Structures are given as C-alpha cells and as structure tokens.
Amino acid sequence: ELKVEQNPLFLSMQEGKNYTIYCNYSTTSDRLYWYRQDPGKSLESLFVLLSNGAVKQEGRLMASLDTKARLSTLHITAAVHDLSATYFCAVVGAYSGAGSYQLTFGKGTKLSVIP
Amino acid sequence: GAGVSQTPSNKVTEKGKYVELRCDPISGHTALYWYRQSLGQGPEFLIYFQGTGAADDSGLPNDRFFAVRPEGSVSTLKIQRTERGDSAVYLCASSLKQGYGYTFGSGTRLTVV
C-alpha cells in the first residue's frame, strides 16, 4: 500500500524567510504532484514531477524529486503572505490491475506566512 | 464547461437520509475520479471511471456508497443511509489521460446532522 508522509504538518514563518516542505512516499512511483488549497477552496495544481532529478520552479516555489530516496521537496524562497495556504503532495502509484492511476495524498502542510 | 463543476456546493442532510452528489467533468475527459476529504486531512480516493464503467471502486468505504456515470460524462455519487461520519468534502477530478493532468472541482461539502 502506498503511503505518503509530509512534514511539517504546520508551518508558521515570517515574510522574507526560506523554508522547505518534505514529502516521503513508500513505494515506487513515476509521478508526483504538488497542490495548493486555500480555505474552503479546491485543489490548484502547482507542479508535476515526472522523473528522478526533476526540478520545477514557479515564482517563489521550487519543487524537486528524488525517486531513489522517494522524496520530494517544496522549497519556499522569501515567503510572502499570499503564499499562506495548505500544500499537498500526491503520488501516483505504479500501475494497478484496475489501471486507475489514483492519487495518494499526504496530510498536507498548513503554511502561515506572518507579515 | 471550462472546469469541473460539482453540485450542490453544500448539502446538509439528516442521518439516515439518501443523498446524491453530481460531478460534471471537463468536456472530453474520459477519466473521472471521486475523492473524499475530511477536515484537516488530504483527499482520499473513492472511485475511478474510465468512460462509463467503474474501473476501480476500491476506495468506497462500504456498500452505502455507489457511483454511476451512465453516458461517460456526468457522474453521480450516491450515499444511502447517511451517517455523521460521512460528513466531509467530496471532490471530483477529471483528466484527459489517466494519470495525468487532473483537474479538481470545487467540491461538495456534505454535513450529516
């Protein structure tokens, strides 16, 4: 069974600081997603990482993937208040007999950026 | 439509009642997924449709939950004899190709009182 663990689950940081969110997963996967969720809203796709060593950046967020370590990181640079949200990583498991490619989510990291 | 549409956005029902939640995926997306998100948790997989058929229903918690997609487009998640533990946000996602490019709807917040 695929398990996805994120840490920290809660993160309070000051504007202008840097921090990293970690996502570990338990079995082989070839696709990892990062999503953002604002309170009461749905999931907004941020990044999809498809291969070992993949790195993607958008604004102050950068995501990377190490498939050998089964680890992805989401790095926040010079945080601003607008980044306050809950961030989820989600992993697509290896092909199952039913072929669903379902996403397995971590519990999320609730980020609060304090002015 | 431009995105995945879910209705209603909020549903309050009494324990023991039957509810239906609707998902209208992006036009042309053959893959459709239902997830359930409890407060403070990540979404959990319920069921996957490829076209009209339920290709994977391994996430449905029990036989009170059922979903259909009769014409390969709109899907309905049906919950019988609702229980307070069913209270959650039910999210629908669709994708053009299974495993890629999931687009999530805004969800239906179900409250069982």
Side-chain angles (χ1 to χ4, degrees):
Chain A
E1 180 189 351
L2 175 58
K3 293 186 188 299
V4 180
E5 291 190 359
Q6 283 182 242
N7 69 84
L9 298 183
F10 297 92
L11 176 56
S12 181
M13 55 190 299
Q14 287 188 316
E15 279 192 332
K17 298 293 187 183
N18 304 333
Y19 209 84
T20 299
I21 299 170
Y22 297 88
C23 174
N24 289 92
Y25 54 98
S26 61
T27 65
T28 301
S29 172
D30 60 358
R31 254 159 292 164
L32 188 143
Y33 292 80
W34 283 96
Y35 289 92
R36 169 181 171 145
Q37 188 175 42
D38 292 291
K41 305 292 186 183
S42 190
L43 297 162
E44 173 191 354
S45 180
L46 295 174
F47 302 108
V48 54
L49 302 168
L50 300 177
S51 60
N52 188 44
V55 177
K56 290 198 174 179
Q57 183 164 5
E58 180 74 31
R60 300 174 188 275
L61 301 178
M62 183 174 71
S64 66
L65 178 62
D66 180 343
T67 57
K68 293 180 182 177
R70 296 177 186 162
L71 170 69
S72 178
T73 61
L74 181 66
H75 187 72
I76 303 156
T77 302
V80 293
H81 180 67
D82 285 352
L83 290 179
S84 298
T86 299
Y87 293 85
F88 291 96
C89 66
V91 178
V92 178
Y95 180 87
S96 70
S100 67
Y101 291 99
Q102 58 177 275
L103 290 168
T104 299
F105 285 82
K107 291 189 174 183
T109 297
K110 185 172 182 180
L111 171 66
S112 298
V113 181
I114 304 164
Chain B
V4 177
S5 175
Q6 291 189 246
T7 54
S9 56
N10 281 284
K11 175 72 177 178
V12 180
T13 191
E14 292 181 346
K15 179 175 178 295
K17 299 289 189 183
Y18 167 83
V19 295
E20 290 189 350
L21 312 179
R22 176 187 166 109
C23 172
D24 197 343
I26 292 174
S27 178
H29 280 196
T30 57
L32 186 146
Y33 300 79
W34 284 98
Y35 289 82
R36 178 168 72 173
Q37 186 175 20
S38 301
L39 191 63
Q41 302 294 316
E44 294 178 320
F45 170 76
L46 294 176
I47 187 169
Y48 157 68
F49 288 89
Q50 180 61 41
T52 60
D56 184 353
D57 63 358
S58 61
L60 294 178
N62 52 60
D63 62 5
R64 295 186 298 104
F65 289 75
F66 189 71
V68 295
R69 195 186 185 198
E71 297 178 357
S73 179
V74 171
S75 176
T76 304
L77 179 66
K78 308 180 181 197
I79 310 173
Q80 298 177 318
R81 305 183 304 280
T82 51
E83 301 176 356
R84 292 196 178 88
D86 299 334
S87 296
V89 175
Y90 289 81
L91 294 166
C92 176
S94 70
S95 67
L96 185 60
K97 178 181 174 183
Q98 63 178 17
Y100 292 92
Y102 307 86
T103 300
F104 282 84
S106 297
T108 294
R109 181 176 298 278
L110 176 66
T111 304
V112 182
V113 297

